[in-house]
Amino acid sequence: MKKLKGILSVFIVMIMALSVQVPVFADEAGELTTIIAPRITFSNFSVDKANIKPGDIFTLTATVYNSRSQTVDDASFKFSGGDAFSVYKGSDTEYVSSFSSYVTVSKTFICNNDTAGGSHPISVTCNYSYSGGEGSAEANYSVMTTSNSTVNGN
């Protein structure tokens, strides 16, 4: 289990911020004001099932941090399980009206029947707005699966 956590944590590193905007506005007195965009990172990924095989249902949870003082508004978190996993019952997107420092998001998946054993990525894309514009961030997390195999032909 410890080895599995080590392997899974390596794939968390693929976190990147996209299209961060830093607008400059004039306030009422005509002074220029710079709006610093939120900095979004993903951390603490986990799945609620240790051994995932085709047909299994599991929930992926992640904590999303904003390391700047600017509040994140109208955040949408789109989850994609690629060829290995499908969102189970419902939309592939979670919505959060606003958050300042962090928020926890989760999505339930089903492991597709033709998924081979091994490491398979799930991506999470966050699109959001803030008082100075819009931004996005993305992270990938790899989930280990085992194959459905038979023993002695049974």
Side-chain angles (χ1 to χ4, degrees):
M1 185 66 168
K2 190 174 187 178
K3 186 176 181 181
L4 176 63
K5 284 184 179 180
I7 292 170
L8 294 176
S9 65
V10 170
F11 295 102
I12 295 175
V13 177
M14 296 184 62
I15 300 171
M16 55 189 239
L18 304 172
S19 66
V20 175
Q21 303 169 6
V22 183
V24 177
F25 296 100
D27 63 13
E28 294 171 3
E31 299 292 321
L32 293 181
T33 302
T34 301
I35 304 292
I36 304 297
R39 178 177 289 151
I40 303 298
T41 56
F42 294 79
S43 184
N44 301 328
F45 280 91
S46 64
V47 292
D48 66 348
K49 191 168 185 136
N51 296 310
I52 298 170
K53 60 187 181 305
D56 283 351
I57 297 167
F58 65 95
T59 300
L60 172 78
T61 302
T63 304
V64 183
Y65 290 95
N66 172 15
S67 62
R68 298 218 171 114
S69 61
Q70 189 66 243
T71 299
V72 172
D73 296 312
D74 302 321
S76 65
F77 297 89
K78 183 173 182 170
F79 293 79
S80 175
D83 294 332
F85 310 111
S86 297
V87 170
Y88 183 71
K89 292 187 178 179
S91 171
D92 62 357
T93 305
E94 293 290 322
Y95 297 95
V96 175
S97 60
S98 69
F99 68 97
S100 295
S101 57
Y102 72 93
V103 66
T104 300
V105 295
S106 62
K107 185 56 64 182
T108 301
F109 289 88
I110 186 167
C111 184
N112 296 331
N113 287 331
D114 58 349
T115 299
S119 177
H120 304 279
I122 293 178
S123 68
V124 184
T125 303
C126 173
N127 291 300
Y128 59 90
S129 61
Y130 62 100
S131 64
E134 297 178 338
S136 64
E138 183 176 359
N140 292 301
Y141 181 73
S142 288
V143 175
M144 294 297 294
T145 62
T146 57
S147 62
N148 272 338
S149 60
T150 59
V151 178
N152 298 327
N154 296 322

